[in-house]
Amino acid sequence: MTGKAKPKKHTAKEIAAKVDAATTNRGGGKAGLADRSGLEKGGHAKYECPHCKTTAPDVKSMQIHHDAKHPKIPFEESNLVNRHANMAVGDSSSKPRPGVRGSYKK
């Protein structure tokens, strides 16, 4: 045990882990905002529940969600909405969206 006057030492492994955590992009903040919002690539989650619009990254997670939240409805993989495929098919950013100021032109 070290005394009060002696500073505590850190190992090289611990310092390297701190540097890695501080300098690696983990997808948070402004760097990952576009990916999380789903505007460009569809976001992190690939699938969307057709009943409640909850998203999931894979079919297995969506099946777990479906069994827990919609037990009376049978699970069908064909009904799932593939958000990544929908984003790649059409670019809806050029079309005016209703309800957005300035999108309606007379």
Side-chain angles (χ1 to χ4, degrees):
M1 188 162 111
T2 60
K4 290 183 180 179
K6 292 186 179 180
K8 305 234 187 234
K9 305 286 187 205
H10 296 281
T11 63
K13 181 179 178 183
E14 186 180 352
I15 293 171
K18 286 183 180 184
V19 169
D20 180 53
T23 58
T24 303
N25 181 10
R26 304 285 183 205
K30 290 184 180 179
L33 182 63
D35 189 30
R36 288 192 312 275
S37 66
L39 296 176
E40 293 178 5
K41 297 183 285 183
H44 289 299
K46 183 173 182 180
Y47 296 104
E48 183 176 71
C49 179
H51 309 294
C52 64
K53 305 300 182 197
T54 300
T55 57
D58 56 3
V59 177
K60 183 68 176 173
S61 298
M62 184 53 72
Q63 186 172 5
I64 292 168
H65 157 78
H66 194 277
D67 293 342
K69 301 295 181 183
H70 316 291
K72 295 181 181 178
I73 304 170
F75 177 74
E76 295 178 13
E77 190 175 332
S78 61
N79 289 347
L80 296 179
V81 178
N82 187 339
R83 298 179 74 211
H84 289 185
N86 291 348
M87 295 305 287
V89 170
D91 184 24
S92 62
S93 62
S94 62
K95 299 177 187 174
R97 295 183 292 167
V100 178
R101 289 185 184 152
S103 64
Y104 181 72
K105 296 180 182 176
K106 293 182 182 181

